[in-house]
Amino acid sequence: MSKLGALQAGSRHDLHIDISPDAPDESEVDRGEGAFGYAHSYESSSRYDGPGLRVVLFLSGCLLRCTYCHNPDTWHLKAGTYVSADHVLSRLADFAPALRSLDGGLTISGGEPMVQLAFTGRILAGAKQLGLHTAIETSGFLGDRADDKFLANLDLVLLDIKSGDPETYRRVTGRELAPTLRFAERLAAMNKPVWVRFTLVPGHTDDPANVASIAKFVGPMTNVEWVEIQPFHQLGAFKWKSMNLEYQHENTQAPTPELIKRVTGQFQEAGCHVR
Ligand code: SF4
């Protein structure tokens, strides 16, 4: 049993390693009640991860292995602090009046929030009781795990579609694309608001056909409010080095304004609102 700790204020750019060495493997299905879980850190004033001012809670655990991941220290549950959902919600309650007055709320990111589905669900339900807007940022890979009760406590899904071509998706994430598309279709069928996020990595995800297949898929979905193009950056490179992981992107450059313009145009031509 991991030792119960306190939620760490900080940043997604802080490096966390081996905080709970006896945590279970993240590939184990989360069948618990969600009273406890593993959290990397939280930020209290993001204006980037959903509408208004957000508290962003970063949970540990992810089954993907994106080659450009800027938070590889969130991959394993053992990198997170073992905390109770009640503790998380009591910290959140301190921020709730400000979040409500600034039309914001809670975004749970990671890692992948649906690795610890019950824990995430319990926090989302508590956030709704505090009167907060709720969101998760997810790859959608574990979308089949999300039951209707989980989705009912979600106001917005920030859905990372990392590639539209299955082969490219497999190459950059190590996993299959199909579950993400299936989850996106389910969210569209229930008219759940979605912001699609696409990380533009020159030489890896920028192929016009790859972008076009995402745009063609997302364009007709009226529940998709925004497509956000996220330019590749090197802010997470130091984590790969600190963790002795093989980093493929030493020489990958940030996308040029011309490339961003081309990709923006591809999404807009498909009928997407882009930012
Ligand atoms: S899904 Fe997110 S946290 Fe997981 S490997 Fe990819 S970028 Fe990293």
Side-chain angles (χ1 to χ4, degrees), residues 18-220:
D18 273 347
I19 289 173
S20 302
D22 54 351
D25 191 274
E26 52 281 359
S27 62
E28 289 175 18
V29 176
D30 181 19
R31 298 186 194 281
E33 296 295 313
F36 302 93
Y38 296 87
H40 176 276
S41 59
Y42 74 95
E43 293 176 3
S44 58
S45 55
S46 167
R47 289 208 168 262
Y48 177 66
D49 301 287
L53 186 76
R54 317 294 298 182
V55 163
V56 185
L57 173 65
F58 297 94
L59 297 186
S60 303
C62 185
L63 303 189
L64 274 58
R65 293 292 179 265
C66 301
T67 60
Y68 53 80
C69 179
H70 51 263
N71 287 321
D73 59 331
T74 63
W75 288 351
H76 304 295
L77 294 180
K78 65 183 179 182
T81 304
Y82 190 59
V83 293
S84 72
D86 285 348
H87 169 66
V88 172
L89 287 168
S90 77
R91 292 296 295 123
L92 185 62
D94 295 339
F95 297 103
L99 297 174
R100 283 193 300 262
S101 70
L102 292 165
D103 299 322
L106 170 70
T107 300
I108 304 183
S109 182
E112 165 54 60
M114 288 195 279
V115 165
Q116 303 184 74
L117 187 80
F119 184 57
T120 298
R122 187 181 277 245
I123 295 168
L124 290 173
K128 290 311 298 174
Q129 284 179 355
L130 290 169
L132 297 177
H133 178 279
T134 57
I136 60 168
E137 178 175 20
T138 175
S139 72
F141 179 70
L142 296 174
D144 289 348
R145 282 188 186 178
D147 56 21
D148 290 344
K149 184 173 159 215
F150 180 88
L151 294 176
N153 284 316
L154 260 184
D155 296 312
L156 172 70
V157 176
L158 308 178
L159 182 63
D160 295 320
I161 304 184
K162 293 160 188 298
S163 278
D165 166 52
E167 184 49 43
T168 305
Y169 195 94
R170 204 175 297 119
R171 196 167 55 245
V172 298
T173 72
R175 294 285 182 170
E176 300 300 313
L177 169 63
T180 297
L181 301 186
R182 203 159 57 231
F183 188 51
E185 284 167 340
R186 183 170 160 211
L187 296 173
M190 61 195 298
N191 205 29
K192 180 72 71 183
V194 166
W195 295 1
V196 166
R197 292 182 152 182
F198 170 62
T199 306
L200 180 56
V201 190
H204 296 268
T205 66
D206 61 340
D207 185 76
N210 185 44
V211 175
S213 52
I214 306 175
K216 189 175 162 202
F217 176 75
V218 166

